[in-house]
Amino acid sequence: MTPADITINDVARAAGVSKGLVSLALNGKPGVALDTRERILAAARELGFTPNPSARGLTTRRAYALGLILRRAARTIEVDPFFAAFIAGVETVLSERGQVLVLTVVPDHEAEARAYERLAADKRVDGFLLTDLLADDHRIALVQRFGSQAVSLGEPVGGSPFPVITRDYDAGIDELVAHLLGLGHRRIAHVSGDERMLHGLRRRERFEQAMRAAGLNPVIVPTDFSPEQGAEATKTLLDSAEPPTAIVYGNDPMAIAGMGVAHERGLRLPHDLSITGLDGSQIGTYIYPTLTTLDNDPAGWGIAAATALLRLVEHGEPADVALPPARLVVRASTAPPSRH
Amino acid sequence: MTPADITINDVARAAGVSKGLVSLALNGKPGVALDTRERILAAARELGFTPNPSARGLTTRRAYALGLILRRAARTIEVDPFFAAFIAGVETVLSERGQVLVLTVVPDHEAEARAYERLAADKRVDGFLLTDLLADDHRIALVQRFGSQAVSLGEPVGGSPFPVITRDYDAGIDELVAHLLGLGHRRIAHVSGDERMLHGLRRRERFEQAMRAAGLNPVIVPTDFSPEQGAEATKTLLDSAEPPTAIVYGNDPMAIAGMGVAHERGLRLPHDLSITGLDGSQIGTYIYPTLTTLDNDPAGWGIAAATALLRLVEHGEPADVALPPARLVVRASTAPPSRH
DNA sequence: TTGAAAGCGTTACCAC
DNA sequence: GTGGTAACGCTTTCAA
């Protein structure tokens, strides 16, 4: 007889009370005499009883689960260092509250919409974690239409009825550009990520602004965040009439691919070309040269997002949270330019 | 009124039948007149009805969900390129059958055991996908004790009552070693992964065997699969009295970290040192030099594992599956040695 | 403070 | 072939 087989009735019988009382006691609700409550709790512990969430959800209309739907082209499926740590952060919050994460990976927008609908219609989850937010993200409306809840990583331009988790990247970008300018760079390019994505766009804009403020002309090559396009963009830049002496990549995987291209052409890094990533990643510490980047603490995002969403779901209290600003991590991939 | 709010009663009313009949019709069971069945199906489609899995599971004792529990030290959380694609493969199978993946990430063995117990006791999942199999994996017994089901990626030494998914790596290792020998390497080292893990151990043993068969002395440095230890191992090897001219790493992230160390010491790759990964990864195509490795098709693992587990859960039919052997992918990180 | 009973949305069993 | 009803495990309401 595994713990899975013991029900509220067994506890009630063991404690010599009705199952209604057991429910009250276990959920910490008032109206149970102190000694009965203790007797019930003892019996439950003894038997190793844990309430069946499905049965529970049937009356409480909760799933005791949160949903994360990742849209990823099969081609770029593996590269994002953000998610593993993000999910780990989410988990630390969920596990201590007996909740669970339902993860779905879909290849395109169509499958994505179906996935939201299915999880919501089947009452599989109480709310969604919205990552990789697009500038004008249709998922906000989707979730509302399906009568579910959500929290978004980043602030949708159209506003959102749901809590919004943000982290200031502007200061970090400024710092990063200042760092490169301080080293003597003047021709600095930005291989931006998918500009339909909010953080991709935002970073690009701030980069341009920072460059203009320094009286310089920002060069931008947009990509889809994949290392493949990161490599392509690098070739384009290095082939141009006035190649940059420093390149800021939209994420670390693209920066690594960019390094590959530079090495291949016999450039010595960082002297012939300074390179930075964005968002930080573990592997960036172990490549050569070690990668200058902006730290992003994915686990922190996960903790904040799960906490905010649970709070909304359980108490109807939407509360935005602003995470500490991204910090510049200077490593060995940036140095004064050797040519001008 | 979202699809989530319409129940089997609404369908029954719309079709003018009892809900019992609706259940039979929707589940394709016999005992429903053809025209009534069609009327019911039409009504269900019209209303956008999807059965509530929680309510369903209450009587069928199924969760319509599979569980994946990842044990990962916070430190090595992000690096494994295997999982994203593996999960995507799992999803392709689950989504078309209305099932869902519950993902949990835990930091250590203790939390891991608790996670299995919780998911099983709460009837959150119908079975588990067992990855990163240890040589003598306690999870097999855990799952049995909790009365749940599982499928394992790799064959436990003690045998298993559950289906086993395997892929022949031996031939690939042989091929890889032969490739290096053919290039003229004689001092070949292996930076192995965690040898408590079945695939880590197995690869190491086969490597040794292949080297001995060629009359050579295999050098092994074991690690935990993290790029950090991969870098450390590389330093150890390069500092030794007779440094290797080629290193086979247990996975691609370690190989990349190893390249970092080599670059840092001014070695020209691949001429001064040949490097290979194992398991394949996308980023390996974009680093410099591009990484020779063994292809592992993580999505294929995911599809096979989910299919086998669902089959076991639904029909009680355990069926092992042997995936096609790993293929050697020769890229630019291996070349004849420049010194002897 | 407690027990009994209704109800959540489904499946399964029995009559008819 | 079909409808009614019990049962799944829980929460919640209502009486006592």
Side-chain angles (χ1 to χ4, degrees), chain A residues 295-321:
Chain A
D295 187 33
N296 194 16
D297 183 23
W301 279 101
I303 292 171
T307 305
L309 184 48
L310 244 31
R311 184 166 165 170
L312 173 63
V313 165
E314 293 175 347
H315 307 106
E317 292 169 6
D320 294 354
V321 8

Side-chain angles (χ1 to χ4, degrees), chain A residues 144-160:
Chain A
Q144 286 189 89
R145 171 137 45 94
F146 298 141
S148 192
Q149 308 270 29
V151 58
S152 67
L153 275 56
E155 184 167 10
V157 288
S160 167

Side-chain angles (χ1 to χ4, degrees), chain A residues 185-198:
Chain A
H185 293 277
R186 290 297 173 268
R187 293 201 304 279
I188 308 174
H190 177 35
V191 174
S192 67
D194 191 329
E195 299 189 355
R196 287 165 304 183
M197 291 188 190
L198 207 58

Side-chain angles (χ1 to χ4, degrees), chain B residues 232-245:
Chain B
E232 278 312 312
T234 308
K235 289 177 189 163
T236 304
L237 284 169
L238 295 181
D239 285 340
S240 65
E242 288 208 313
T245 62

Side-chain angles (χ1 to χ4, degrees), chain A residues 2-5 48 50-55 57-58 61-65 74-82 84-85 87-88 91-92 94-106 117-124 144-147 227-229 231 253-254 256-261 263-265 280-284 286-288 298, chain B residues 2-5 48 50-55 57-58 61-65 74-82 84-85 87-88 91-92 94-106 117-124 144-147 227-229 231 253-254 256-261 263-265 280-284 286-288 298:
Chain A
T2 69
D5 300 317
T50 60
N52 180 322
S54 292
L58 218 44
R61 319 201 129 275
R62 293 257 284 109
Y64 304 98
R75 209 171 49 73
T76 68
I77 192 68
E78 85 180 26
V79 297
D80 202 325
F82 182 86
I87 289 173
E91 270 296 321
T92 63
L94 292 191
S95 67
E96 68 183 20
R97 310 182 51 174
Q99 318 243 344
V100 123
L101 178 71
V102 170
L103 177 70
T104 299
V105 180
V106 296
E117 171 155 26
R118 190 162 70 88
L119 257 42
D122 292 355
K123 298 232 184 301
R124 290 281 204 172
Q144 286 189 89
R145 171 137 45 94
F146 298 141
E228 180 175 356
Q229 293 201 10
M254 288 203 295
I256 292 172
M259 282 185 172
V261 171
H263 277 134
E264 194 177 7
R265 300 195 168 198
S281 70
Q282 184 135 38
I283 192 75
Y286 300 104
I287 55 174
Y288 177 78
Chain B
T2 68
D5 301 318
T50 61
N52 180 322
S54 292
L58 215 46
R61 320 202 128 274
R62 294 256 285 109
Y64 304 99
R75 207 170 50 72
T76 67
I77 191 69
E78 84 180 27
V79 297
D80 202 325
F82 182 86
I87 290 173
E91 269 297 321
T92 63
L94 291 191
S95 67
E96 67 184 20
R97 310 180 52 173
Q99 318 242 347
V100 124
L101 178 72
V102 170
L103 176 71
T104 298
V105 181
V106 296
E117 171 155 26
R118 190 161 70 87
L119 257 42
D122 292 355
K123 298 231 184 300
R124 290 281 204 173
Q144 286 189 89
R145 171 137 43 93
F146 298 141
E228 179 175 356
Q229 293 201 10
M254 287 202 295
I256 293 172
M259 283 185 171
V261 171
H263 277 133
E264 195 177 5
R265 299 193 170 201
S281 70
Q282 183 134 38
I283 192 75
Y286 299 106
I287 55 174
Y288 177 79

